[in-house]
Each structure stands twice: as structure tokens, then as C-alpha cells.
Amino acid sequence: YQAVVPSTWNSSPRDEQGPGAYESKDSPFVSYYSFAKDAWPRNESYEAWSGFKTLPKLNFEGSAELETKVLDLGAKWLGPEFGADGWRLDVAADLGHSPKYNHGFWKLFRSSVKAAKPDAVILAEVYGDSSSWLGGDEWDTVMNYDAFFEPVGFYLTGLEKHSYYYREGLHSNTRVFSESLLETMAKLPYASLECAMNELSNHDHSRFLTRTSGYVDDKRSSADVSPQEMAEVGINKGILKEATLLQMTLPGAPTIYYGDEA
């Protein structure tokens, strides 16, 4: 956010607002996070998403101030000052500490966002069935892992989205591919399906072109070949073209990851 900090400020926002929650019990942000009782500070005693300490989990239930700030930010970035077109919500199913709070918060978030910009899109990342968030009062749509990304990837390459393993029974299996698409599409409201984010590659997973080689990750190492050269071994641009045809014709919003357009 440094680009929008007024140039007249001579100190950082952190200096203005006090120490961080990880630095002092007296921080104004302590209630924003969950810390182990009587364990302070700098001992990694805070709750983190899936245990990754670089990703502290926000404690919305413990701070009405935090909830209000995030809802206000949801509206602010869509306003005339910044003009964003919507929000992509990372691991949105994991916000909060209970399904009840999670759904309650996203209802509030939608109200804040749509009040600021009625046509703003709310697009969430979630693995698995997302239908409970797509009733018209929370998210608009999702990153389409279930009804595009994974079925297409397995059908055309046989590889899991990280290239961690190969599934022979799914590779080129037309029956399973068709049944999988029909089942997963049926779980999405059609309006959400029509604008779901249909990707072949993204920042979290191996590139689709890399997966066309059929190599799982742990078979890519070689003493004689550099990682860059190994990434080129066995790739098949014809399979990428097949995948792109599906991306452009199946229901959803084709979303091309930078680099893939080349």
C-alpha cells in the first residue's frame, strides 16, 4: 500500500499506531490474532493458517474492530479512489473459526461490497463443493477447480495439479471425464458456473504445459540436466491446444495465466 501513503507522512503507519501484536502485549492489534495463553512474545505462539507461521490467522470472532475494518476495506478499494472491479478471496472457506461465523461474515462482506459497487464481482477460492456459499447472498462465483481445472487436467495429462502424482485411470478416460464434469457442474448454480474462473495454470500449481510431459515432480531431477532444461523435456503443445479449446468452450470465464498466452 505504500503507493497510496501521502508523501507528507514522515513516519510509517506502524510507528503511528504502535507496535505489532507479535511484539508487545500492549499492541492495539493484539485482539486481531489468537495467541497461546501465557506465551509471549516472539515464540511463534500465534495461530496460523494450516500451521504456516508466515500466514497468521485473523481472529475475527475476537475483535469487532477487525471485522469492521475489513468490511470497510472491502468497500474502499471499489470506490472512486481506487476503482477495483471486485475481489478474489484466497482460501475463503477457512476464514473464521466456525462455519456459522464464516457464512455470517461473507454475508456482511457482500452487503458492504455491493453497496459500494453493485456490479462488483466476488470470486472465491475453495476446493470441493462451494454451493453453500453461492446462494446469492455471499459469493458470486469461484475459481473453478471442481468443474474445470481438475477434470481437464487429469483427462488430458493424468497429473495432479501440483504434478505430485499420476492417475492412469483418469488419463484419457472419456467416461470418467464426462461424468465428473456433469456431476461437478450440477453442484454450481448456473449463473455462478457461467462466470466461474476457468484456468489451466495459476500461481499455486504447476504450469499446464509442464504437466503435458506426464512427469511427476520427483522424477524431474537429473544430474545431467538443469531444472530449466528438464521443464522442457517431453512437453506437448498439442495437448495444451486441446486444453485451450476446452477452456474457451466449456461454461465459465476463460482466465489465462500470464506466460500461458505465449
Side-chain angles (χ1 to χ4, degrees):
Y1 302 119
Q2 281 199 327
V4 299
V5 173
S7 58
T8 53
W9 283 18
N10 294 316
S11 57
S12 71
R14 177 173 149 184
D15 292 336
E16 294 279 331
Q17 298 171 11
Y22 188 44
E23 298 170 313
S24 170
K25 288 184 179 181
D26 298 323
S27 169
F29 310 111
V30 165
S31 64
Y32 290 16
Y33 307 94
S34 296
F35 289 89
K37 187 177 181 181
D38 299 326
W40 207 286
R42 299 190 181 282
N43 57 2
E44 298 199 343
S45 62
Y46 56 90
E47 182 182 5
W49 178 78
S50 290
F52 293 103
K53 289 301 182 177
T54 54
L55 300 172
K57 185 174 176 67
L58 291 171
N59 181 30
F60 283 92
E61 291 92 333
S63 176
E65 179 186 6
L66 169 64
E67 182 182 83
T68 299
K69 280 192 173 183
V70 173
L71 293 174
D72 288 346
L73 285 170
K76 177 179 179 179
W77 283 90
L78 304 173
E81 186 178 2
F82 303 114
D85 291 317
W87 285 96
R88 179 262 187 195
L89 310 171
D90 200 55
V91 288
D94 293 351
L95 181 140
H97 291 94
S98 69
K100 181 179 179 181
Y101 181 82
N102 183 283
H103 285 288
F105 178 86
W106 291 128
K107 287 179 172 66
L108 293 173
F109 185 82
R110 182 182 184 86
S111 296
S112 180
V113 164
K114 298 297 183 176
K117 180 176 284 189
D119 64 349
V121 65
I122 301 174
L123 185 156
E125 177 199 30
V126 62
Y127 294 98
D129 185 359
S130 58
S131 57
S132 64
W133 288 274
L134 297 173
D137 56 353
E138 296 183 49
W139 311 336
D140 292 316
T141 189
V142 290
M143 298 175 73
N144 200 6
Y145 285 115
D146 273 20
F148 180 80
F149 191 100
E150 297 210 57
V152 169
F154 277 123
Y155 176 58
L156 292 179
T157 75
L159 284 181
E160 181 269 343
K161 56 187 173 291
H162 297 91
S163 298
Y164 288 162
Y165 57 84
Y166 174 77
R167 294 281 297 277
E168 183 178 4
L170 300 181
H171 192 188
S172 299
N173 189 326
T174 307
R175 180 186 59 80
V176 172
F177 176 56
S178 175
E179 291 176 354
S180 175
L181 282 181
L182 290 172
E183 179 181 351
T184 51
M185 285 182 180
K187 292 179 180 179
L188 293 171
Y190 195 71
S192 297
L193 176 63
E194 284 190 305
C195 59
M197 194 175 185
N198 284 0
E199 301 175 290
L200 297 173
S201 307
N202 66 32
H203 65 289
D204 277 329
H205 307 108
S206 57
R207 288 292 178 88
F208 187 87
L209 185 60
T210 302
R211 276 180 272 146
T212 64
S213 69
Y215 286 109
V216 296
D217 235 16
D218 61 5
K219 293 181 180 179
R220 285 192 164 275
S221 60
S222 170
D224 302 321
V225 181
S226 70
Q228 291 81 6
E229 291 172 316
M230 192 62 192
E232 296 288 328
V233 173
I235 62 173
N236 187 325
K237 291 186 178 179
I239 296 175
L240 176 61
K241 291 178 181 180
E242 290 179 315
T244 303
L245 177 64
L246 292 173
Q247 184 182 34
M248 299 298 160
T249 55
L250 285 171
T255 308
I256 303 174
Y257 189 52
Y258 60 84
D260 284 357
E261 74 276 8

